[in-house]
C-alpha cells in the first residue's frame, strides 16, 4: 500500500505579528513565557491561555445560553412575518446556544441564506415555490443526461467503438479502474500540486493506511460494499422528452463562469444554459463519474441521524425501495429501509448539486456535509438549497487547485504561531508546520470529530457568524463584541487551532512525527466538548483576529 503523500503548503513570507517590537507585544511575550511555565505542569489537555480580560465569550459556562426554543423563535417575528430588528437578536441567540432540534428545519434556511433575514412570510413563500421549481429542473436534467449517456454507450457498442461487452449502463464505464481512481477521478485533471488526499492512494479517502490513520477515514460502521449503477434510470417515468436530445450526445453542461455567478448572485436562476465556446465545460462523462462516486458514498452514510428524524427513520420498505430505484441505487440489500431512503436522497441532491456547480461537481466528503442537512430538512428541494447555501463557503474545500484548503491550513498555522511559538517551533522540527494533520477537520468541518448533535451545534454557531457578516450586522450592531471579537468567517479555523493548542503539551513531549499528530487528531472523535472548543476559539479571536 502506497504511503499517503503530504501536501507541502508554502509557508507565509510575511513576518509574524508576534515578532513585533511594540511595548504591548513585549508585554505579551513576557506574560506568555510565564504562562508557559505554568502550562508545563498542567495536564496534556491544558486550556488555551487567555488574554481577553473581562470580555467573556458567549460560550463560557457562566454565559452560555440555552438553545433557541420554539416559543422564543415565534417571538422574533413581527405581525407581517419579518424577523424583528433585522434578525439581530435571532442571530445572537443562535450564536450563543444553537437551535432546538424541533425547529431546525424552520431556522436553517435563514442561517444559510435561503431566506433573507428581512423577508416577509409572503416573500419567503414565493422564494420557496421558485426554488422548488429550480430544483425539479435540475433533477430533470440529471435524468436526461443519464438517458443520453446510456444511448451513447449503446451506440458505441453496436458500432464496435467500445471495448466493454455491455456498456449500456453506467456501471460498465468504471469496471476497469481501481477504487482509488474513483476517489481521485475529479482531481486527476489538476496541474502539479494536486490533492494530497486523492493522489497516491490505494483506497479512497475513507480507507487510508494504518500508518496515516486516514484524513477522511470512515466510522467503524461504514459499509465497504461497492455499488453498481445498472439501469440508473430504472423506475423513472419522467423526462420522456429526452428522446429528442439523442442528437445532442455529450453536449457540454454548465460553464464554470455560470456556476461562479450564481454563488455571487444567489437570486440568479440556476436553470441550465449554454455558454460561449471560450467557457470551460463539463461533459456527460464527467457527470457519470460524479454519479458513480456519489452512489458509492451514499450507501456508506451511517445511521447517526435517525434519532433526530423519526419520520425518515420510520419510512416504509416500499417507499425506500422506490426511492432507490428512481436514482438507480444497487447493492443496498444489507441496509435497513431508513438508510436506503437516506442514501437515495443523498444521491438525488448531490447529483443536482453537481449540475448546479459543475466547477466543483462532486468530491468525497461532500456527502458528509449533506447528510445532517438531509436528515433535518425532509423535503429534497429544501435540503438542496440549504446545502447550496452551506457550500457557498465550504465549496472551496473541494476545488481542484486546492487554493481554499491551502489558505485555511495557512491560517491555522498562523494562529498557532502567533499564540504559541514554542509549539510552532516543535511543529517546524517535525516538518508539520503546514498543519496538514488537521486537513480532515477543515474539509468536513469537524464532522468526524464531533457527535452528530455537537456537529449541528457547531455548524449553527458558524452559520450565525456568517449570516451576521452577510447581512452587515457584524459592522454595526454588536457593540464591544464587534470591536474585540467580531463574527468571523473563519471561526472554524480558530476552533481547529484551539483544538490543537489544547493538546500542546502532549504534542511537544510525546510526538516526534506528523503522522503521530495526525493519529492524535483522528483519535479526538467523540472526546471533544464543543462548547469548550468554542470558548477557547473565542479567546483566539479576541487576541488574534486583527493580526491574522
Amino acid at each position: 500500500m502506497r504511503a499517503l503523500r503530504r501536501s507541502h503548503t508554502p509557508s507565509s513570507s510575511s513576518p509574524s505579528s508576534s515578532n513585533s517590537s511594540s511595548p504591548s507585544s513585549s508585554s505579551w511575550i513576557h506574560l506568555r513565557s510565564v504562562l508557559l511555565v505554568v502550562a508545563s505542569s498542567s495536564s496534556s489537555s491544558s486550556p488555551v491561555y487567555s488574554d481577553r480580560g473581562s470580555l467573556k465569550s458567549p460560550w463560557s459556562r457562566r454565559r452560555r445560553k440555552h438553545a433557541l426554543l420554539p416559543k422564543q423563535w415565534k417571538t422574533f417575528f413581527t405581525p407581517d412575518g419579518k424577523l424583528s430588528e433585522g434578525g439581530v437578536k435571532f442571530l445572537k441567540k443562535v450564536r450563543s446556544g444553537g437551535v432546538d432540534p424541533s425547529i431546525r428545519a424552520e431556522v436553517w434556511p435563514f442561517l444559510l441564506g435561503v431566506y433573507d433575514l428581512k423577508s416577509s412570510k409572503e416573500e419567503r413563500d414565493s422564494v420557496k415555490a421558485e426554488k422548488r421549481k429550480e430544483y425539479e429542473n435540475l433533477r430533470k436534467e440529471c435524468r436526461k443526461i443519464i438517458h443520453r449517456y446510456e444511448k451513447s454507450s449503446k451506440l458505441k457498442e453496436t458500432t464496435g467503438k467500445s471495448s466493454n461487452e455491455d456498456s449500456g449502463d453506467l456501471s460498465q464505464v468504471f469496471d476497469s479502474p481501481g477504487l482509488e481512481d474513483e476517489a481521485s477521478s475529479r482531481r486527476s485533471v489538476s496541474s502539479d500540486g494536486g490533492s494530497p488526499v486523492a493522489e497516491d492512494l490505494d483506497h479512497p479517502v475513507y480507507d487510508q493506511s494504518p500508518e496515516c490513520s486516514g484524513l477522511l477515514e470512515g466510522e467503524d460502521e461504514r459499509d465497504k460494499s461497492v455499488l453498481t449503477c445498472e439501469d440508473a434510470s430504472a423506475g423513472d417515468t419522467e423526462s420522456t422528452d429526452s428522446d429528442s436530445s439523442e442528437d445532442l450526445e455529450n453536449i457540454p453542461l454548465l460553464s464554470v463562469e455560470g456556476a461562479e455567478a450564481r454563488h455571487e448572485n444567489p437570486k440568479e436562476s440556476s436553470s441550465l444554459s449554454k455558454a460561449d465556446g471560450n467557457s470551460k465545460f463539463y461533459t456527460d462523462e464527467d457527470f457519470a463519474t460524479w454519479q458513480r462516486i456519489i452512489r458509492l458514498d451514499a450507501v456508506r452514510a451511517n445511521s447517526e441521524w435517525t434519532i433526530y428524524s423519526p419520520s425518515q427513520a420510520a419510512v416504509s420498505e416500499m417507499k425506500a425501495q422506490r426511492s432507490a430505484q428512481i436514482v438507480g441505487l444497487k447493492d443496498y440489500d444489507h441496509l435497513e429501509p431508513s438508510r436506503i431512503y437516506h442514501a437515495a436522497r443523498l444521491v438525488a441532491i448531490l447529483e443536482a448539486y453537481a449540475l448546479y456547480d459543475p466547477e466543483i461537481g462532486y468530491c468525497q466528503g461532500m456527502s458528509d456535509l449533506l447528510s445532517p442537512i438531509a436528515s433535518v430538512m425532509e423535503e429534497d428541494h429544501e435540503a438542496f438549497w440549504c446545502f447550496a447555501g452551506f457550500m457557498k463557503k465550504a465549496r472551496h474545500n473541494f476545488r481542484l487547485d486546492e487554493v481554499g484548503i491551502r489558505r485555511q491550513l495557512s491560517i491555522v498555522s498562523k494562529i498557532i504561531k502567533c499564540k504559541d511559538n514554542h509549539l510552532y517551533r516543535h511543529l517546524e522540527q517535525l516538518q508539520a508546520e503546514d498543519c496538514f494533520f488537521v486537513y480532515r477537520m477543515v474539509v468536513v468541518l469537524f464532522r468526524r470529530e464531533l457527535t452528530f448533535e455537537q456537529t449541528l451545534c457547531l455548524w449553527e454557531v458558524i452559520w450565525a457568524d456568517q449570516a451576521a457578516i452577510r447581512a452587515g450586522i457584524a459592522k454595526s450592531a454588536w457593540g464591544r463584541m464587534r470591536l474585540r471579537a467580531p463574527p468571523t468567517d473563519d471561526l472554524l479555523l480558530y476552533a481547529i487551532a484551539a483544538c490543537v493548542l489544547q493538546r500542546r503539551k502532549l504534542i511537544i513531549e510525546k510526538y516526534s512525527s506528523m503522522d503521530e499528530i495526525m493519529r492524535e487528531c483522528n483519535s479526538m472523535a467523540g472526546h471533544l466538548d464543543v462548547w469548550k472548543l468554542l470558548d477557547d476559539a473565542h479567546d483566539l479571536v479576541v487576541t488574534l483576529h486583527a493580526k491574522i
Side-chain angles (χ1 to χ4, degrees), residues 528-543:
L528 292 174
D529 181 337
V530 66
W531 300 112
K532 180 63 171 66
L533 198 64
L534 284 168
D535 190 34
D536 287 349
H538 177 270
D539 175 29
L540 296 175
V541 174
V542 169
T543 58

Side-chain angles (χ1 to χ4, degrees), residues 301-334:
N302 62 37
S303 57
E304 273 187 296
W305 58 271
T306 54
I307 61 174
Y308 297 92
S309 184
S311 60
Q312 294 185 61
V315 68
S316 68
E317 184 173 358
M318 181 179 296
K319 184 175 181 180
Q321 296 281 352
R322 172 62 178 166
S323 298
Q325 289 173 1
I326 289 175
V327 297
L329 274 183
K330 299 288 182 180
D331 292 350
Y332 52 77
D333 293 341
H334 60 289

Side-chain angles (χ1 to χ4, degrees), residues 18 47 67 88 95 124 165 173 181 188 193 199 207 241 244 276 278 327 332 339 415 431 451 510 512 515 520 538:
S18 64
V88 174
R95 190 180 194 246
R124 292 194 294 273
E165 292 183 4
V173 179
D181 294 324
S188 62
E199 294 185 355
D207 186 21
D241 59 336
S244 63
D276 59 63
N278 295 325
V327 297
Y332 52 77
R339 291 185 64 185
I415 293 171
Q431 296 184 338
T451 65
K510 294 189 177 181
S512 58
D515 289 348
E520 171 64 23
H538 177 270

Side-chain angles (χ1 to χ4, degrees), residues 18 28-36 49 418-421:
S18 64
W28 162 239
I29 292 174
H30 174 71
L31 175 61
R32 183 181 61 196
S33 64
V34 174
L35 290 170
L36 282 173
Y49 34 86
C418 289
K419 192 66 176 178
D420 192 330
N421 201 43

Side-chain angles (χ1 to χ4, degrees), residues 284-495:
D284 289 359
E285 279 81 3
D286 294 308
F287 181 80
T289 300
W290 297 331
Q291 185 186 61
R292 171 69 170 174
I293 306 172
I294 287 170
R295 291 173 176 178
L296 287 168
D297 287 352
V299 294
R300 294 187 178 116
N302 62 37
S303 57
E304 273 187 296
W305 58 271
T306 54
I307 61 174
Y308 297 92
S309 184
S311 60
Q312 294 185 61
V315 68
S316 68
E317 184 173 358
M318 181 179 296
K319 184 175 181 180
Q321 296 281 352
R322 172 62 178 166
S323 298
Q325 289 173 1
I326 289 175
V327 297
L329 274 183
K330 299 288 182 180
D331 292 350
Y332 52 77
D333 293 341
H334 60 289
L335 299 178
E336 57 269 26
S338 61
R339 291 185 64 185
I340 296 172
Y341 180 66
H342 188 68
R345 293 190 67 210
L346 295 182
V347 170
I349 296 168
L350 290 170
E351 285 181 355
Y353 186 82
L355 295 191
Y356 176 76
D357 187 3
E359 182 190 22
I360 301 302
Y362 180 77
C363 265
Q364 284 190 311
M366 289 169 64
S367 61
D368 286 276
L369 302 187
L370 173 59
S371 185
I373 294 176
S375 68
V376 169
M377 311 300 295
E378 296 193 4
E379 294 290 337
D380 283 6
H381 70 279
E382 293 180 338
F384 172 84
W385 289 111
C386 282
F387 179 66
F390 190 8
M391 286 294 290
K392 284 179 182 177
K393 295 295 183 183
R395 68 188 297 271
H396 298 291
N397 293 353
F398 305 98
R399 290 176 58 95
L400 287 172
D401 57 18
E402 295 188 314
V403 170
I405 287 292
R406 293 175 186 275
R407 169 194 166 273
Q408 292 177 89
L409 292 177
S410 175
I411 290 175
V412 174
S413 177
K414 289 178 181 178
I415 293 171
I416 293 173
K417 184 177 182 179
C418 289
K419 192 66 176 178
D420 192 330
N421 201 43
H422 185 198
L423 173 59
Y424 184 80
R425 287 198 302 270
H426 180 70
L427 295 178
E428 281 186 314
Q429 293 173 358
L430 305 184
Q431 296 184 338
E433 73 278 6
D434 58 9
C435 292
F436 182 69
F437 51 86
V438 299
Y439 185 99
R440 186 177 77 175
M441 295 180 187
V442 173
V443 173
V444 292
L445 288 84
F446 271 110
R447 179 65 191 91
R448 303 291 180 81
E449 284 69 35
L450 298 173
T451 65
F452 188 85
E453 177 61 24
Q454 287 181 324
T455 298
L456 300 192
C457 289
L458 175 64
W459 288 3
E460 285 163 351
V461 171
I462 292 172
W463 295 342
D465 262 16
Q466 293 173 349
I469 293 171
R470 195 165 56 241
I473 293 174
K475 297 180 180 179
S476 61
W478 287 8
R480 187 165 56 151
M481 183 68 73
R482 173 179 63 82
L483 299 174
R484 296 281 313 274
T488 171
D489 278 328
D490 294 325
L491 181 59
L492 170 75
L493 307 182
Y494 285 98

Side-chain angles (χ1 to χ4, degrees), residues 112-126:
L112 292 167
V114 180
Y115 299 145
D116 191 282
L117 291 175
K118 298 179 180 179
S119 63
S120 65
K121 185 179 185 305
E122 183 179 352
E123 290 170 335
R124 292 194 294 273
D125 289 342
S126 176

Side-chain angles (χ1 to χ4, degrees), residues 47 92 134 167 224 250 264 268 298 315 357 390 416 494 537:
K92 289 181 71 174
E134 290 182 23
S167 59
K224 302 297 181 182
N250 205 31
E264 295 299 324
E268 182 177 338
V315 68
D357 187 3
F390 190 8
I416 293 173
Y494 285 98

